[in-house]
Amino acid sequence: MSWWNEPTSQNSAPVTAGAASDAGLARDENEDAYGDLASQEAEERLFIVADGMGGHERGQEASRMTVAAVQDTFFGVREGTVLERLRRGLCEANERVYGEAEKRETEGSIGTTATAAALVEGIVYLAHVGDSRAYRFRADESQQLTRDHTVAREMQRRGALTAEEARSHPRRGTLTRAIGVEPSVDVDLKEIGPFRVGDRLLLCTDGLETLSDTVLREAVLGHSPQRACEHLVQRANERGGHDNATALVVHKAQS
């Protein structure tokens, strides 16, 4: 599922975006979803990726339901700060997915990750649940903006694992937090700061986890947003394509 709108002006510099998503080589279905959503009334743009779980149609349903819920809530209820609106959107997604699971409890678990970036009046804001990621790339800086909500990464943060050990740990993909698995959800929120000319954001699902930071940086900085996303998904498949892979890149170009 995706929505694409004409780019909106952000501080007089054009903001362009691209996205690519693929089921990979080991799975028949793609449970990922993404969105690029623009307000018609204000300089606001919302980007989101979600990685569904629950198997085939149920994973697809969870991720697509989440993208729609965040869109509906963020643009439909403008009360509060940007971060409060993002939190409300992901909490609404949690209620919808959890409610659907309750109605169909005999069919097994259902849930999804979600990473959303709002660009409002030139400022980037993030909301995050799960192990999909957000990165910011500048000419002299690369930064992962989110932290993975997985058992292995929690162990790393406690000092029980090194970063390299966490990358290959058997529970690296075991989520400690997700949309739709509990009646409520704890959402990570962060104001990132100004989206400067030349900045690029990458939102991606964990199908890209086999790619090094160097590969991510070179692709995102070396190509247009759309070509960068296609290149990253292709590289993930070349590394085995063991999972669905989705990339969404946002670039603030020279005016």
Side-chain angles (χ1 to χ4, degrees):
M1 169 177 285
S2 62
W3 291 270
W4 293 95
N5 293 278
E6 289 299 317
T8 56
S9 172
Q10 296 284 348
N11 287 0
S12 301
V15 173
T16 60
S21 186
D22 192 80
L25 305 180
R27 301 191 179 187
D28 295 329
E29 302 287 342
N30 190 348
E31 297 177 80
D32 289 356
Y34 62 87
D36 171 5
L37 315 160
S39 167
Q40 300 302 314
E41 294 123 14
E43 284 199 355
E44 297 183 346
R45 200 149 168 199
L46 178 68
F47 308 94
I48 182 170
V49 298
D51 180 358
M53 56 192 187
H56 300 300
E57 292 183 3
R58 287 177 65 75
Q60 289 180 343
E61 184 177 15
S63 61
R64 295 177 180 185
M65 190 181 300
T66 291
V67 172
V70 175
Q71 173 201 24
D72 294 345
T73 307
F74 184 81
F75 290 120
V77 184
R78 295 181 176 276
E79 299 171 355
T81 67
V82 175
L83 290 178
E84 288 169 346
R85 291 165 61 194
L86 284 171
R87 183 198 297 277
R88 192 181 300 125
L90 267 68
C91 288
E92 173 63 22
N94 190 78
E95 290 186 15
R96 293 188 191 183
V97 176
Y98 185 79
E100 188 64 25
E102 288 280 282
K103 287 190 294 185
R104 298 160 58 180
E105 58 182 8
T106 60
E107 298 181 26
S109 63
I110 181 173
T112 185
T113 69
T115 298
L119 183 56
V120 178
E121 296 182 352
I123 305 296
V124 178
Y125 303 84
L126 278 184
H128 167 68
V129 177
D131 63 352
S132 294
R133 293 178 175 179
Y135 295 85
R136 181 178 62 192
F137 297 94
R138 287 177 172 159
D140 58 350
E141 175 189 325
S142 301
Q143 183 181 4
Q144 182 177 331
L145 303 174
T146 53
R147 62 174 190 168
D148 296 350
H149 298 141
T150 64
V151 170
R153 292 300 179 180
E154 294 292 349
M155 292 173 67
Q156 178 192 344
R157 284 189 281 275
R158 295 197 306 267
L161 295 175
T162 66
E164 188 58 35
E165 289 170 339
R167 184 186 291 269
S168 59
H169 194 273
R171 301 192 71 185
R172 65 187 179 277
T174 303
L175 294 173
T176 58
R177 209 186 300 179
I179 297 286
V181 299
E182 299 288 347
S184 62
V185 66
D186 185 16
V187 181
D188 282 0
L189 298 165
K190 184 185 296 185
E191 179 177 331
I192 302 304
F195 196 44
R196 301 176 185 171
V197 171
D199 279 1
R200 289 169 171 85
L201 292 176
L202 167 65
L203 306 186
C204 60
T205 60
D206 68 339
L208 268 61
E209 71 174 357
T210 59
L211 305 183
S212 68
D213 291 348
T214 299
V215 170
L216 296 179
R217 177 182 172 84
E218 289 178 351
V220 172
L221 291 179
H223 301 282
S224 69
Q226 184 59 38
R227 179 64 189 122
C229 294
E230 294 167 356
H231 178 75
L232 288 171
V233 169
Q234 178 183 346
R235 290 295 300 271
N237 283 339
E238 290 171 355
R239 294 292 300 271
H242 302 298
D243 200 355
N244 307 154
T246 297
L248 193 162
V249 171
V250 188
H251 177 216
K252 186 169 185 177
Q254 295 282 350
S255 58

